[in-house]
Amino acid sequence: MTALHHASSRLQNRRSIRRLLAAALLTALPLTATAQPPQKYPVKPIRLICAFTPGGTTDILARIITPGMSEAWGQPIVLEARPGAGGTLAAALVSKAAPDGYTLLATSAAIVISSAASSNLQYDLLKDFATISELGSSISVLVVSPSLGVKTVKEFIALANARQGKLLFGSTGALTSTHLGAERFRAAAGIRAQHVGFKGQSEFLIEIMADRIHFGAPGLTTALPMIKDGKLTPLLVATPQRSPALPDVPSAGEALPAWSRDGSQAWFAPAGTPRAIRQQISRELARQLARPEVKERLNNLAFQIAHTTPEEHEKNLRADLETFSRIVRETGMKPR
């Protein structure tokens, strides 16, 4: 009986020790998990999907900003142009990407305009995207083909009326910012014209230079080099005062107060991307935009820097969606 009693006691002791060890392990696990530092970001290349063709404002901004970001992070940022359908093709691609911070979207106000005007997109702007930052805005400029022989807005309006709706204007696609900008000019000037959509700003500017279409309202950032080369004739900038980049060109405030349109450039991530990652990207964007050499290049391109945090971006996004919804109704445009 004594031997059996001792064996039973030893078994019970072993069971008690195992229970104590298991309890200690369970207690320690949450502490261990909490103590682990967050995963470093980035640890691999980042894809930046540009919604428009190379040579447009969105692409130019990315090419100016991303080299410094890549150097700071030690990881390449690979630019990938996915133009088409007013930027909605790129947006649809990014909306379905993994929310890990390694696929981002660079776009313009077009993403808001499309959402305000369309009911059959492959994504929901407010549900399928997470905000990162607005970068700022480019000034719209009314440009015409030099072969038209007009030098002022008044002369252009007279020509348009004489041709009775036969003039063509280009944009980056139906209901994009460049389309709305030109349509708002047309309405303010009281002229008729026919719209022709292209994949990017550089494409329709080439068509204007070749005199295959007659005018457009691109961002000054994109059009300025062609204006300086004399390949495009600027007639008006969509600002209350003249732009330092084109001091001899009248502002809308002077010549046509009813016309104005500035398009914001912004970066987005797929919905569900951690806030900490988005904040890190936004802070780095702010640092790059504050560098003297970057500021100088963007100022020379007539780009107005206005960086925002992810939280500010989200607030502005909702306000812009309401604004563009109203503009679409007021101009009488029908959704796609």
Side-chain angles (χ1 to χ4, degrees):
M1 293 293 293
T2 302
L4 287 173
H5 176 74
H6 286 312
S8 176
S9 296
R10 285 195 299 272
L11 181 60
Q12 289 177 357
N13 288 339
R14 284 196 296 270
R15 288 174 176 170
S16 297
I17 292 170
R18 282 198 296 269
R19 285 195 293 270
L20 288 171
L21 288 172
L25 181 62
L26 289 173
T27 303
L29 278 175
L31 293 175
T32 303
T34 303
Q36 289 178 347
Q39 184 180 13
K40 180 185 175 183
Y41 173 88
V43 295
K44 62 181 182 179
I46 298 167
R47 291 173 70 203
L48 179 62
I49 308 298
C50 291
F52 303 101
T53 54
T57 304
T58 304
D59 173 75
I60 291 172
L61 280 172
R63 292 181 188 279
I64 291 174
I65 295 170
T66 55
M69 297 179 72
S70 296
E71 183 179 354
W73 285 342
Q75 293 292 340
I77 299 178
V78 181
L79 304 186
E80 185 176 327
R82 288 295 183 97
T88 61
L89 294 183
L93 174 65
V94 175
S95 71
K96 297 175 176 61
D100 55 8
Y102 291 99
T103 303
L104 308 175
L105 173 67
T107 188
S108 69
I111 192 172
V112 190
I113 295 168
S114 297
S115 294
S118 301
S119 57
N120 60 345
L121 295 176
Q122 298 179 42
Y123 54 84
D124 184 300
L125 177 60
L126 299 180
K127 293 180 180 178
D128 295 331
F129 292 94
T131 51
I132 294 176
S133 177
E134 291 174 301
L135 309 182
S137 60
S138 58
I139 299 169
S140 296
V141 57
L142 179 72
V143 294
V144 301
S145 170
S147 64
L148 290 181
V150 298
K151 300 295 182 183
T152 68
V153 172
K154 185 177 179 180
E155 291 175 354
F156 178 67
I157 293 174
L159 175 67
N161 287 329
R163 294 203 182 181
Q164 300 180 351
K166 293 182 180 179
L167 290 188
L168 306 176
F169 70 92
S171 80
T172 52
L175 294 170
T176 60
S177 57
T178 53
H179 180 205
L180 277 183
E183 286 283 9
R184 293 185 72 187
F185 166 78
R186 185 194 57 75
I191 64 173
R192 291 185 295 140
Q194 299 179 49
H195 172 239
V196 183
F198 297 87
K199 288 184 177 181
Q201 293 192 62
S202 57
E203 291 187 359
F204 79 75
L205 292 179
I206 290 171
E207 296 299 300
I208 294 174
M209 289 186 288
D211 202 29
R212 287 188 284 266
I213 62 175
H214 305 105
F215 72 99
L220 184 52
T221 304
T222 305
L224 192 57
M226 302 171 214
I227 292 172
K228 289 183 175 180
D229 287 343
K231 297 177 180 178
L232 294 172
T233 300
L235 300 183
L236 199 65
V237 291
T239 52
Q241 293 83 33
R242 296 193 180 200
S243 167
L246 293 175
D248 297 328
V249 178
S251 69
E254 297 173 63
L256 200 65
W259 185 54
S260 64
R261 171 72 193 99
D262 290 337
S264 10
Q265 297 286 328
W267 284 20
F268 290 84
T273 302
R275 182 178 295 272
I277 289 178
R278 292 186 287 121
Q279 288 174 332
Q280 180 181 339
I281 298 169
S282 180
R283 286 193 299 269
E284 185 57 34
L285 281 170
R287 194 177 75 84
Q288 294 299 324
L289 289 169
R291 293 173 61 189
E293 60 270 31
V294 171
K295 290 176 68 175
E296 182 179 4
R297 290 183 68 183
L298 294 181
N299 286 336
N300 290 338
L301 292 170
F303 185 82
Q304 299 173 323
I305 298 171
H307 174 269
T308 64
T309 64
E311 294 75 20
E312 292 167 337
H313 184 191
E314 183 175 358
K315 180 181 178 181
N316 293 343
L317 179 68
R318 293 177 181 274
D320 286 346
L321 190 55
E322 292 182 9
T323 298
F324 284 120
S325 297
R326 185 182 70 252
I327 291 172
V328 168
R329 291 194 301 270
E330 289 176 352
T331 55
M333 295 183 190
K334 294 181 179 180
R336 284 191 294 271

